Amino acid sequence: MPLDFTLFAQYWPILLHGLLITSVCSAAAAAIGITLGIPLSLMLLAKPKLISSPARVYVEIMRGLPALLVLFLLYYGGPSLGLSLTPMAAGIVGLGLYSAAYFAEIFRGGFLSISIGQIEAAQMLGFDRRSIVTKIELPQMKGLILPPLINQLIALVKDSALLSMLTIADLTKAATQMSNETFAFIEPYLAIAILYWLLNTVIAHFGNRLETGANAYR
């Protein structure tokens, strides 16, 4: 059967709403993941095992679990621990906590790329650890960590398709609604495939521009 393109015109408000929800949830989860990933990476690099071991355990657990399981544990298992979250909050926090493990490893590799001589020189000049990280290490390692960082952001957007399992009205949920109402399958999922591709293409484009700027800075 030929594709029914009239479905796109009929359901474009639902698809655009799904794109907005996917974008917002992905951006919020990425913000959580990056915010947690930096201190986690510093903990992984810490000499005392009392600090590095808990971080390593967290990273290994998260990397060894499916993202969907983390979402289910947080949303459906949370109330038994006194943690009741809305589907949106559970989805954002779950993806953020899950991605933090991957961001931590990316930042850890970046920190390891900075020569110890620069760190020691900064310490002799009286720089505290926070100043060393923000003024010396992070600016220099941008060019190195940006490619894997952008790849992880793209992976996070694709993982956000799991949010539909929590009844969140994201892109995948929009396609499911279209299929249920029209009994069409190719058109809905083709539509969201194009939208996911466009969203990730935009991320990749801006990532490439940032990478070019970072390399020029170096």
Side-chain angles (χ1 to χ4, degrees), residues 64-119:
L65 295 178
L68 183 59
L69 181 57
V70 175
L71 295 178
F72 279 176
L73 286 173
L74 189 61
Y75 182 60
Y76 294 110
S80 63
L81 301 176
L83 181 65
S84 296
L85 298 173
T86 63
M88 180 81 78
I92 291 173
V93 173
L95 287 180
L97 294 175
Y98 181 77
S99 64
Y102 294 90
F103 285 121
E105 289 290 4
I106 293 171
F107 284 114
R108 184 178 71 89
F111 284 124
L112 288 174
S113 70
I114 306 300
S115 67
I116 190 64
Q118 294 188 53
I119 308 303

Side-chain angles (χ1 to χ4, degrees), residues 24-36 92 95-96 99 103 153 156:
V24 169
C25 289
S26 298
I32 293 174
I34 292 173
T35 301
L36 293 178
I92 291 173
L95 287 180
S99 64
F103 285 121
L153 289 174
L156 180 57

Side-chain angles (χ1 to χ4, degrees), residues 91-184:
I92 291 173
V93 173
L95 287 180
L97 294 175
Y98 181 77
S99 64
Y102 294 90
F103 285 121
E105 289 290 4
I106 293 171
F107 284 114
R108 184 178 71 89
F111 284 124
L112 288 174
S113 70
I114 306 300
S115 67
I116 190 64
Q118 294 188 53
I119 308 303
E120 292 174 346
Q123 291 172 340
M124 292 179 64
L125 291 172
F127 282 67
D128 57 21
R129 183 57 180 147
R130 180 178 180 181
S131 297
I132 292 173
V133 170
T134 57
K135 296 181 180 180
I136 297 176
E137 294 181 300
L138 286 177
Q140 292 189 70
M141 69 190 209
K142 282 192 300 184
L144 178 67
I145 67 171
L146 272 174
L149 200 65
I150 297 303
N151 285 340
Q152 183 56 40
L153 289 174
I154 291 173
L156 180 57
V157 171
K158 291 188 286 187
D159 283 341
S160 72
L162 299 171
L163 296 177
S164 63
M165 302 298 291
L166 302 184
T167 70
I168 297 173
D170 69 332
L171 275 175
T172 305
K173 191 68 175 178
T176 302
Q177 179 181 341
M178 289 176 63
S179 293
N180 291 339
E181 293 179 1
T182 64
F183 301 103

